[in-house]
Amino acid sequence: MPQDYRVPHLTTALTGPLLELEEHLLNHSHAIEAWFRQEFRDTPAPFYASVDLRNAGYKLAPVDTNLFPAGFNNLHPDLRPLAVQAAQHAITQACPVTDGVLIIPENHTRNSFYLENLYTLKEIIESAGYEVRIGSINPEITEAQIIDLPSANRLVLEPLARESNRVGVAGFFPCAVLLNNDLSAGRPAILEGIEQVLMPPLDLGWSSRYKTHHFQHYATVAKRLAELVDIDPWLITPESVQCGEVDFKNPASLERLATKVNEVLAKTGDYYHEHDIDCKPFVIVKSDSGTYGMAIMSVQSADDILKLNRKQRNKMSFAKEGLAVDKMLVQEGVYTFETVDNAVAEPVVYMIHNHVIGGFYRIHTGKTATDNLNSPGMHFEPMSFQQSGVLPDQSQGPDAEPNRFYAYGVIARLALLAAAYEIKYSKTAKPD
Amino acid sequence: MPQDYRVPHLTTALTGPLLELEEHLLNHSHAIEAWFRQEFRDTPAPFYASVDLRNAGYKLAPVDTNLFPAGFNNLHPDLRPLAVQAAQHAITQACPVTDGVLIIPENHTRNSFYLENLYTLKEIIESAGYEVRIGSINPEITEAQIIDLPSANRLVLEPLARESNRVGVAGFFPCAVLLNNDLSAGRPAILEGIEQVLMPPLDLGWSSRYKTHHFQHYATVAKRLAELVDIDPWLITPESVQCGEVDFKNPASLERLATKVNEVLAKTGDYYHEHDIDCKPFVIVKSDSGTYGMAIMSVQSADDILKLNRKQRNKMSFAKEGLAVDKMLVQEGVYTFETVDNAVAEPVVYMIHNHVIGGFYRIHTGKTATDNLNSPGMHFEPMSFQQSGVLPDQSQGPDAEPNRFYAYGVIARLALLAAAYEIKYSKTAKPD
């Protein structure tokens, strides 16, 4: 690669180890790219995704894969052309003849962060050469609503309508429909059985999807990548155990959860001990479906579970939009050792189609390395990646920024591939 | 678009007018992108192209469209991911199943600028997830030859072999074959009738292609774009007239050429006069086939043709690789009013698939606004575009860098579309 970098680049948050893993990925980048290309040819990627990573230095792993990403407005504008190009190809693949895309957003009409994201997403798809309109399933939207954004841009939300087997807004019922609503509130009847191409499919909404399935697929593809690059799959895989239904108000149910927590702690502790990793194992307990970090906690022992107070138990019983939590996922906690200005930082990587199109650091000054950073009331400071994460620079060391971002892009795409398998099997399970 | 540009950007060379045209393109960018997307859906773009533009302030037009671009090493490395993504889609479209790409290069084995380009091209395609090897038709290459490049990278050239209806190098006969040789020396027999996908097709080599055909197609698509954005097509179209065969040693033949020159000068002069453009018309006379700027001259009157001395006539009689010049193209000269550090600058835009992937300024201190900058012995200073030219920024004025580059990208893609029509009609003419 040319050495002629004329612009200054941000340094990555972490300047510590992860060397061995990054070096492996760098040395095998051509093989990795060929493998991804072939995998996504057989198992097409979802339209988009964002993946939260944790970088412990000795381990780099995904902890959350969002198939309805918001936050596109946090990506660095210099990388926008990558998103535009990828969107054109994703839409062409899904629906070659369409000239329009209908976006179905979340129901937040007063969250200006979300609406700025929606505006950016609309702009990306318009720049790719499509007409875009926004059809809301929010029952409060009964006529076209014009929203002036803090960025001085303007967004129009229209009520979603159904005409026989198609959904749309007044006079606009295109072949391609893009969901930017994670369906935490359930599968909307208006979207059932439509003949248009829904991206991603209804089955991938949180009302139907389980994180444990995602991490099962992830473990499978991570194992195959690990074989390809000759590393221990543990280095890129978070131990994830489905706990089944947990009733936080029932002591017997909590006992069962505590047992699972102990299992994961013990397994992680054994690995740490065997490999001289001087860290205390911890575990993340979170809802197996849903997002937004409502029902999530970080625990270092089974006692943390058994000694939950009433308030904590209540918190764990309700996830986003008031859904009762049913199943829980017990996941190995991965430390995040990246910091920016002494604050803990977690990389978030964005993808459209099978391409990394940018990312940012979620930074929180009040949190520690074991905390979940996507927690309620969190005011993160997005720090855009200046580079795309697409290309390693073989002429620099593994810790150089393009190389660290390359490693992030590899692990994020591995989670994307796991999501592609989720779609594949959801379709196989329910052919229609 | 977010206003948060954290990096400094080069200013464009020109800070003069072109405002009206740029404004038109900016105001219609969504319609333009939709139009290009639909056009390239019906008429697929060649694998790649570079387009030389001239920016006169009152006019922005292509003057040369190269379907076998070199100079990939001059593009800014920050834009590399765009090239990688575009290459993956171009190859997928041409040959969905292939895992390898064979590149057939120019025969220059001692031109390190060319070889660095070849290395960069190889790297782009490898980063897209393909195995790449280089098969040379240079008869001097009889066995694998390892070349150490100034960049400290290493290139292996292997002799091209044919096995029944496929070409390749030892053990490597992939479905996709990429020509980076413009075939000025003729159609190589080894490439005739191969069953692999040759990108671009053999008919697009300079041995079969005429610039006048390109500019006829260009005039057609430019007219349609001009209608879409409601501008005078003259603003983006260079008047181009085929002169037929010219024998520079035959006075009668020179007379005929001088007449054509006068026609174009008069037509351009009329337009200048009518629109109060205070410039002296000039004309470029160049070979209708071939490249490398050997047989090319800039003239301001028919007398310049009639008074050619013997040396000048000899120069015009031979183009690249010693081919006798047959047909000539007489083209309206477009001033280049862009300067960098007081030197004349000409933008060159690179595309892969239907995507702009970067560009640079060709800068020459010893030339004037009417000269051809791609001339023998030219030592241009490439100045990479820092931005992609893909995205306009509606929040800035039409002269802001992203907007000027957007205009460049539009006109360059218009020339790309003209090349796509050349391919379409070459195939129609010779179905096989």
Side-chain angles (χ1 to χ4, degrees), chain A residues 2 16 28 52 62 66 69 76 87 89 108 120 127 142 148 233 286 297-298 338 358 402 408 424-425:
Chain A
H28 295 78
D52 293 4
N66 188 348
H76 199 285
H89 291 291
H108 333 304
T120 304
S127 297
T142 54
D148 287 306
K286 54 187 168 186
M297 60 185 179
S298 170
E338 292 199 274
Y408 289 172
K424 187 176 185 173
Y425 287 108

Side-chain angles (χ1 to χ4, degrees), chain A residues 291-305:
Chain A
T291 178
Y292 277 73
M294 298 295 269
I296 184 162
M297 60 185 179
S298 170
V299 297
Q300 300 205 343
S301 76
D303 267 7
D304 291 346
I305 296 289

Side-chain angles (χ1 to χ4, degrees), chain B residues 187-361:
Chain B
R187 296 167 69 108
I190 194 172
L191 295 179
E192 294 285 357
I194 60 171
E195 67 186 30
Q196 292 147 299
V197 177
L198 187 63
M199 306 177 288
L202 218 46
D203 284 344
L204 273 286
W206 279 127
S207 45
S208 315
R209 183 179 173 226
Y210 289 108
K211 288 176 187 167
T212 41
H213 294 170
H214 176 71
F215 284 104
Q216 279 159 13
H217 287 299
Y218 180 82
T220 306
V221 293
K223 192 156 176 281
R224 284 163 46 209
L225 181 78
E227 273 165 27
L228 184 73
V229 300
D230 193 23
I231 54 166
D232 182 345
W234 186 89
L235 297 173
I236 55 174
T237 313
E239 177 76 14
S240 306
V241 175
Q242 185 167 27
C243 189
E245 300 202 348
V246 175
D247 178 354
F248 279 84
K249 290 161 185 168
N250 176 337
S253 191
L254 283 181
E255 278 286 354
R256 219 174 46 245
L257 175 60
T259 308
K260 294 280 186 191
V261 165
N262 263 341
E263 278 173 29
V264 175
L265 286 172
K267 200 167 172 182
T268 306
D270 288 349
Y271 195 97
Y272 283 5
H273 183 72
E274 200 181 322
H275 292 82
D276 284 328
I277 296 169
D278 187 21
C279 286
K280 188 169 160 52
F282 72 104
V283 149
I284 298 288
V285 177
K286 54 187 167 186
S287 165
D288 200 10
S289 51
T291 179
Y292 276 72
M294 298 295 271
I296 184 162
M297 60 185 177
S298 169
V299 297
Q300 301 205 343
S301 75
D303 268 8
D304 291 348
I305 296 290
L306 299 173
K307 290 179 179 163
L308 285 175
N309 62 30
R310 171 184 294 269
K311 191 178 157 204
Q312 289 165 321
R313 289 199 305 264
N314 275 341
K315 182 190 145 206
M316 291 301 288
S317 300
F318 291 95
K320 190 191 168 202
E321 306 213 4
L323 282 187
V325 169
D326 285 327
K327 298 181 176 173
M328 298 301 288
L329 164 63
V330 176
Q331 189 166 59
E332 170 197 348
V334 181
Y335 283 88
T336 180
F337 285 163
E338 292 199 276
T339 57
V340 175
D341 295 338
N342 296 319
V344 176
E346 184 181 70
V348 189
V349 176
Y350 279 67
M351 290 155 293
I352 293 183
H353 203 223
N354 55 348
H355 301 289
V356 174
I357 56 121
F360 57 82
Y361 282 103

Side-chain angles (χ1 to χ4, degrees), chain B residues 37-274:
Chain B
R37 193 180 49 70
Q38 290 158 352
E39 283 289 326
F40 286 118
R41 182 168 63 196
D42 298 338
T43 310
F47 181 84
Y48 50 16
S50 68
V51 174
D52 293 4
L53 300 176
R54 305 277 291 199
N55 182 353
Y58 52 84
K59 179 165 193 163
L60 174 63
V63 295
D64 199 11
T65 301
N66 188 348
L67 294 180
F68 306 91
F72 280 99
N73 49 323
N74 292 326
L75 302 180
H76 200 284
D78 280 0
L79 301 179
R80 180 75 61 88
L82 276 174
V84 170
Q85 208 190 107
Q88 189 176 107
H89 291 291
I91 297 164
T92 300
Q93 187 177 64
C95 188
V97 299
T98 197
D99 289 327
V101 176
L102 176 75
I103 301 179
I104 299 177
E106 295 287 351
N107 289 353
H108 332 305
T109 54
R110 276 169 288 272
N111 177 338
S112 63
F113 293 106
Y114 178 74
L115 295 171
E116 291 284 7
N117 157 71
L118 193 57
Y119 181 82
T120 304
L121 183 59
K122 175 173 177 280
E123 221 184 25
I124 288 170
I125 301 172
E126 284 175 339
S127 297
Y130 296 90
E131 185 184 353
V132 180
R133 285 165 70 185
I134 299 170
S136 176
I137 55 172
N138 185 339
E140 290 171 22
I141 307 283
T142 54
E143 57 183 14
Q145 186 178 329
I146 296 169
I147 300 176
D148 287 307
L149 301 176
S151 61
N153 293 307
R154 177 169 277 198
L155 206 56
V156 180
L157 302 185
E158 298 177 77
L160 190 71
R162 178 146 177 169
E163 287 184 5
S164 73
N165 287 329
R166 295 178 88 85
V167 291
V169 293
F172 185 73
F173 289 74
C175 148
V177 181
L178 182 60
L179 264 183
N180 196 245
N181 180 316
D182 68 14
L183 308 182
S184 289
R187 296 167 69 108
I190 194 172
L191 295 179
E192 294 285 357
I194 60 171
E195 67 186 30
Q196 292 147 299
V197 177
L198 187 63
M199 306 177 288
L202 218 46
D203 284 344
L204 273 286
W206 279 127
S207 45
S208 315
R209 183 179 173 226
Y210 289 108
K211 288 176 187 167
T212 41
H213 294 170
H214 176 71
F215 284 104
Q216 279 159 13
H217 287 299
Y218 180 82
T220 306
V221 293
K223 192 156 176 281
R224 284 163 46 209
L225 181 78
E227 273 165 27
L228 184 73
V229 300
D230 193 23
I231 54 166
D232 182 345
W234 186 89
L235 297 173
I236 55 174
T237 313
E239 177 76 14
S240 306
V241 175
Q242 185 167 27
C243 189
E245 300 202 348
V246 175
D247 178 354
F248 279 84
K249 290 161 185 168
N250 176 337
S253 191
L254 283 181
E255 278 286 354
R256 219 174 46 245
L257 175 60
T259 308
K260 294 280 186 191
V261 165
N262 263 341
E263 278 173 29
V264 175
L265 286 172
K267 200 167 172 182
T268 306
D270 288 349
Y271 195 97
Y272 283 5
H273 183 72
E274 200 181 322

Side-chain angles (χ1 to χ4, degrees), chain A residues 6 12 54 72-73 78 133 203 246 302 410:
Chain A
R6 296 186 187 216
T12 41
R54 303 278 291 200
F72 280 98
N73 49 323
D78 280 0
R133 285 166 70 184
D203 284 345
V246 175
V410 169

Side-chain angles (χ1 to χ4, degrees), chain A residues 1-10 29-30 33-35 37-38 41 73 75-89 92 96-100 119-120 123 126-130 151 153 353-357 382-384 386-388 390-392 394, chain B residues 1-10 29-30 33-35 37-38 41 73 75-89 92 96-100 119-120 123 126-130 151 153 353-357 382-384 386-388 390-392 394:
Chain A
M1 239 177 110
Q3 331 281 288
D4 173 24
Y5 283 85
R6 296 186 187 216
V7 289
H9 288 285
L10 300 171
S29 71
H30 290 165
E33 294 309 315
W35 182 77
R37 195 180 47 71
Q38 290 158 352
R41 182 168 62 197
N73 49 323
L75 303 180
H76 199 285
D78 280 0
L79 301 179
R80 180 75 61 87
L82 277 174
V84 170
Q85 207 190 107
Q88 188 176 108
H89 291 291
T92 300
V97 298
T98 198
D99 290 325
Y119 181 82
T120 304
E123 221 183 24
E126 283 175 340
S127 297
Y130 297 89
S151 61
N153 292 307
H353 203 222
N354 55 348
H355 302 288
V356 174
I357 55 119
M383 186 177 102
S384 321
Q386 188 73 65
Q387 296 196 341
S388 62
V390 176
L391 288 174
Q394 308 283 1
Chain B
M1 241 177 109
Q3 329 282 288
D4 173 23
Y5 283 86
R6 295 186 187 216
V7 288
H9 288 286
L10 300 172
S29 71
H30 290 165
E33 294 309 316
W35 182 75
R37 193 180 49 70
Q38 290 158 352
R41 182 168 63 196
N73 49 323
L75 302 180
H76 200 284
D78 280 0
L79 301 179
R80 180 75 61 88
L82 276 174
V84 170
Q85 208 190 107
Q88 189 176 107
H89 291 291
T92 300
V97 299
T98 197
D99 289 327
Y119 181 82
T120 304
E123 221 184 25
E126 284 175 339
S127 297
Y130 296 90
S151 61
N153 293 307
H353 203 223
N354 55 348
H355 301 289
V356 174
I357 56 121
M383 186 177 104
S384 323
Q386 188 74 66
Q387 297 197 340
S388 63
V390 176
L391 288 174
Q394 308 283 1

